Amino acid sequence: MKSFLEFILAWVSSFFTGLCLALLWKWFITPLGVPAITVVHAVGLCFVIGVVFGKKDPKAKIDVEKLLYAMLYDGIGLFFGFLVHLAM
């Protein structure tokens, strides 16, 4: 049951990260003339970045605390990005 919960939480975390990236992209990249991206595109970009720059340790275990920390980190980044967007 714990592994199923971790699996679901990993997908929720991926979606939340993609949502944060899509919003930040819309606020700060599209004014430069680059087309907007959807949440699905943002999730795909996160996966690509994870493959290229992620850790390659096969023994590393991803637990619930790490996933929740990643979501908190993304939320804080989105919050401060929103504040900067309001100041523009």
Side-chain angles (χ1 to χ4, degrees):
M1 182 68 174
K2 183 178 178 185
S3 62
F4 178 72
L5 188 62
E6 289 174 350
F7 176 76
I8 296 298
L9 189 58
W11 278 103
V12 170
S13 176
S14 297
F15 177 79
F16 185 68
T17 301
L19 178 67
C20 291
L21 178 61
L23 285 172
L24 290 169
W25 187 283
K26 177 181 157 190
W27 292 339
F28 299 112
I29 305 298
T30 55
L32 301 175
V34 179
I37 60 173
T38 65
V39 174
V40 176
H41 287 114
V43 170
L45 282 174
C46 291
F47 286 147
V48 169
I49 292 168
V51 167
V52 173
F53 295 110
K55 295 180 181 177
K56 305 290 192 255
D57 184 10
K59 296 179 184 176
K61 186 175 189 247
I62 297 176
D63 53 359
V64 174
E65 290 84 18
K66 288 181 183 177
L67 291 172
L68 291 174
Y69 177 77
M71 290 175 64
L72 178 66
Y73 185 80
D74 292 338
I76 290 170
L78 183 64
F79 174 72
F80 283 110
F82 179 70
L83 292 178
V84 171
H85 174 69
L86 288 178
M88 291 175 61

